[in-house]
Amino acid sequence: MTQQAETKSQADIALIGLAVMGQNLILNMNDHGYTVVVFNRTTSKVDDFIANEAKGTNIIGAHSIEEMVAKLKRPRKIMMLVKAGAPVDELIDQIIPHLEKGDIIIDGGNSFFEDTARRVKYCESKGFLYVGTGVSGGEEGARHGPSIMPGGSPTAWPFVKDIFQAISAKVDGDTPCCEWVGENGAGHYVKMIHNGIEYGDMQLICEAYNIMKNGLEMDADEMHQVFAEWNKGELDSYLIEITRDILAKKDDDGLPLVDKILDTAGQKGTGKWTVLSSQELGIPITLIAEAVYSRCVSALKDERMKASKKLKGPRALIAGLTGKSGVNSQKNLEKKKKFVQDIHDALYASKIISYAQGYMLMRAAAKEYDWKLNYGGIALMWRGGCIIRSRFLGKIKEAFDGSKSFSKKSAKHELDNLLLDDYFHGEIKRCQKGWRNIVATAAKKGIPVPAFSTALAFYDQYRSAVLPANLLQAQRDYFGAHTYERIDKPRGEFFHTDWTGHGGDTSSSTYNA
Ligand code: 6PG
């Protein structure tokens, strides 16, 4: 081979996995001037891709891992975009024999963060570096700029930084939605929280839609207008935008397509992992949990069909606010407009709670796993490219950066909770009346709003200096001698009472799960 030909075959990065996300990321890398060598287990896919989508680009095809590795510059960077779980471990073991010390394996799939932590350790023990990175934004994001959340071996970051930041989404001109997140599983953890929040945002939008549809009898076109309006204000986001567009989409017969879609939601597990982690760390992320469970309830379609015939409740129609109740007077139209604004406020306030809870969980995880998470930086990474991208995240960044939220005196304080930030608690105050009206009306009308109401319940619990857990502790001590602390004694002193007069004096050990 001539010197020139050899230089030409020196690729910057390899990518394994030619499903749509993989293909789009490769084309994105190529657009930014990187030479990518690609491989897929079914090698005919490589040939198809090179002959079609990649035609006329600098992308190189490889028919074996060995051939792929041989075409890479050192340290070699090999990115996998394959199904999470066992396929990732299998692929790592196939790649490793072809590597040299210091080479970097990258997992860009939705892997479980504990698997990533284990893989980092495994690869490092063999002298290689490992990056587990969240990549969000779906097909379009992968092609034109996703949000990228890398973590793993810190020494790998300088080698992948330029390429990752080049292909990522940009906000405020040229700020990349990609920064180093932290060690071991931190990148995939933050992506998992992103997905949990994504579940929450989607559920909130569905609840708003449900009240409009069943409580107000609004049709898809009317709701399309509402979401279009909402997208111009503080709810401006990708998910509101696509909801607006979904509501406008007609089926072949001219009727709204959304009305023909079966109401059973799927899920691939990242929402569930978020809830499991919250249980592990003892952090209430009640809204994301309700969002996951709501998908589970939706999947019980046959049971729900049967139950709908037997279990009775109030009529969902909100009298005086629907067209069908003969109320098109100016006064009633005003009332309806006000109610739709209340739905907006319920969604917005609940969304603030959801992000506050998500950040509480990240804070607890950072402590548990010894990560130094940059909370403002995470909001920035989520501002563009990803599924939860929104104007709102700009405000979260400001809150964590302290630029607007603290007086000069306390500017150095870390924000403990998003709800304590001046801007956000002001917003909650402004939306509270409408939020409570929606939760109360929905309860009276039998319209399920699990996420709106759990958010409100959390808000009321979180702002309570005193909760009824005194009684709960008494119950635990009564039946199991689990002991309690007293308000008139220092914390850490435990007491047991013989509640019945025939219990013993022995208390059970005091441990906290
Ligand atoms: C993203 C998404 C993506 C996720 C899908 C499907 O950030 O691009 O979060 O990673 O896999 O949205 O998730 P579910 O099937 O669990 O809804």
Side-chain angles (χ1 to χ4, degrees), residues 45 248 250 299 333 350 364 371 446 449 454 500 512:
K45 267 202 152 185
K250 304 285 187 274
L333 287 174
S350 304
W371 296 325
V449 284
T454 194
T500 56
N512 289 312

Side-chain angles (χ1 to χ4, degrees), residues 68 81 143 156 300 389:
M68 177 194 79
L81 265 173
R143 182 67 186 86
L300 303 174
R389 63 184 180 259

Side-chain angles (χ1 to χ4, degrees), residues 317-348:
L317 280 190
I318 303 167
L321 296 182
T322 66
K324 290 214 175 114
S325 16
V327 278
N328 285 324
S329 67
Q330 192 53 36
K331 199 171 146 222
N332 281 312
L333 287 174
E334 284 302 318
K335 266 170 76 182
K336 179 173 166 183
K337 207 170 150 205
K338 162 81 184 49
F339 193 78
V340 171
Q341 181 60 38
D342 284 355
I343 300 175
H344 168 282
D345 291 353
L347 198 167
Y348 182 40

Side-chain angles (χ1 to χ4, degrees), residues 282-321:
I283 299 296
I285 53 155
T286 59
L287 196 142
I288 296 173
E290 284 294 354
V292 174
Y293 291 133
S294 291
R295 290 196 190 193
C296 301
V297 177
S298 82
L300 303 174
K301 179 73 178 173
D302 292 345
E303 275 185 52
R304 287 191 290 113
M305 296 278 281
K306 279 187 211 142
S308 71
K309 298 201 176 72
K310 291 223 161 160
L311 308 179
K312 299 297 167 207
R315 264 163 56 88
L317 280 190
I318 303 167
L321 296 182

Side-chain angles (χ1 to χ4, degrees), residues 110 136-138 191 194-195 198-199 267-270 295 387:
N110 264 334
S136 175
K191 174 60 167 53
H194 164 283
N195 279 30
E198 171 185 307
Y199 274 53
Q267 50 184 319
K268 296 205 188 77
T270 46
R295 290 196 190 193
I387 304 294

